[in-house]
Amino acid sequence: MPITTTASDTTSLVHAAIDVHEPGQKPGKVGALITTIDFQLNPKELTVTKSAKWESKSQKKSASAPPTTYQGPDPQKMSVEMYFDETRQRDGSVVKRVEALFEACTPTSASVDGNRPSAPWVKFRWGVLTGFVGYIKSVAAKYTLFSPDGTPLRAVCTVALEELANEPSKQNPTSGGLQPRHSHVVREGDSLAAIAYAEYGDPARWRDLADVNGIDDPLRLRPGATVLIPTLEELARADGRVIARKEIARALVR
C-alpha cells in the first residue's frame, strides 16, 4: 500500500531572523549585510502597528468637533520577543546572542569611519513576512536561568523595531538645500539641545537644528512635531557656504 505524503510532511520549518545591514546610501535601500541574528525559537506572536498624524485646533466657541488636518503617516513599528536557550550546550551562554542585539543599537564601524555615524539598518523576515527597512529602537533583555557559576543560560529579549523612510526627504527651503537622512519625532520633555546631544554628541548643535527646521523659539517644541536631522557632513558643507558668503560680503564692502 503506497504511503501518502501530507502537506505537513513536506513543509520545512522556517526560522525567523533579523538581517543587520550597513546604513544605505538611499532611503529604503540597505547597505552590505553585516550579520544575521537568528531566532532559536520562532516567536509565539509579534505586534505590528501603523498610525497616522492628525492635527486639530480647538475652538472655544465651537459646538462641534474642530476641523482636523492630516499630517502624514507615522513610522511602522514592530515588537517581538526572542527566546535564547543554551542549556543543552556544554559551557553554553546566551550572552553573545544578547550582545549582538545590543550592538545593533550602536553605530557601525564603517559609518563612523565615513564620518556619518549611524546604527545598522535592519529587516525582520519570517516566511512570507518580509518586514520594512528600519532600525532597532530598543532591546530589553531578561535573563531567566543561570548556571551555578552565574552564567546566563536562557534569556527573553523584547525587541522594538521602527521603520525608516523609504522615500527621499524633500528639501527644506530654510536649510539651503540640506537633505536630512532621518528625523526625530518630538516627545514631551524633548529639547533641541537634548536632540542635538543624542544625534551628534554636542548639545551646542541645537542652533543648526533650529536653522534647518526654521524653528524660531527652540524652547517651545510641540510634541508630535518632526525635527529633520542632517548629517554632520551636510552641516559642515552648509557652514562652509555661509562662511564663503560672509567673506564675499566683506570683500565687496572693502
Side-chain angles (χ1 to χ4, degrees):
M1 180 176 179
I3 298 176
T4 303
T5 302
T6 64
S8 60
D9 294 326
T10 59
T11 302
S12 58
L13 177 63
V14 177
H15 280 281
I18 295 177
D19 290 331
V20 182
H21 295 262
E22 288 289 349
Q25 298 299 317
K26 297 180 179 179
K29 302 294 184 181
V30 297
L33 179 66
I34 299 174
T35 187
T36 294
I37 304 175
D38 293 308
F39 285 63
Q40 280 188 300
L41 297 174
N42 281 333
K44 295 184 295 184
E45 58 185 21
L46 57 88
T47 303
V48 181
T49 60
K50 183 70 176 178
S51 59
K53 290 192 291 285
W54 292 81
E55 184 178 46
S56 60
K57 296 183 179 180
S58 300
Q59 299 176 1
K60 294 181 179 179
K61 298 182 180 180
S62 176
S64 60
T68 304
T69 305
Y70 177 65
Q71 301 295 313
D74 282 326
Q76 190 172 345
K77 300 176 183 179
M78 176 185 291
S79 179
V80 63
E81 288 187 337
M82 300 184 72
Y83 300 88
F84 299 132
D85 187 327
E86 294 293 340
T87 55
R88 297 184 179 182
Q89 301 296 324
R90 184 177 180 180
D91 299 326
S93 171
V94 296
V95 171
K96 288 186 178 180
R97 294 181 182 273
V98 174
E99 287 183 345
L101 288 170
F102 288 160
E103 288 176 4
C105 297
T106 61
T108 68
S109 298
S111 68
V112 172
D113 293 342
N115 200 29
R116 300 170 68 95
S118 173
W121 292 8
V122 302
K123 287 190 72 175
F124 171 86
R125 56 179 172 82
W126 185 19
V128 297
L129 295 175
T130 54
F132 49 77
V133 175
Y135 60 94
I136 295 181
K137 188 175 182 64
S138 66
V139 178
K142 180 179 180 181
Y143 296 105
T144 59
L145 183 67
F146 299 84
S147 67
D149 65 357
T151 301
L153 299 178
R154 286 179 184 162
V156 180
C157 294
T158 303
V159 184
L161 298 92
E162 190 160 316
E163 180 185 23
L164 285 164
N166 58 10
E167 295 179 359
S169 301
K170 295 181 179 179
Q171 287 191 354
N172 186 346
T174 65
S175 69
L178 290 177
Q179 300 226 2
R181 197 168 71 176
H182 67 283
S183 61
H184 175 87
V185 178
V186 177
R187 297 175 178 80
E188 197 72 40
D190 275 351
S191 67
L192 280 185
I195 296 172
Y197 180 76
E199 296 291 341
Y200 307 122
D202 183 2
R205 285 283 184 179
W206 70 265
R207 295 180 178 85
D208 295 314
L209 294 181
D211 290 342
V212 167
N213 291 274
I215 298 175
D216 296 326
D217 187 352
L219 299 179
R220 299 183 64 182
L221 291 180
R222 179 173 56 82
T226 299
V227 177
L228 302 178
I229 311 293
T231 64
L232 287 173
E233 183 181 358
E234 289 167 327
L235 289 177
R237 288 200 298 266
D239 290 342
R241 289 194 294 269
V242 171
I243 293 172
R245 287 197 296 269
K246 289 181 178 178
E247 291 177 347
I248 292 171
R250 283 198 296 268
L252 290 174
V253 171
R254 292 172 189 168

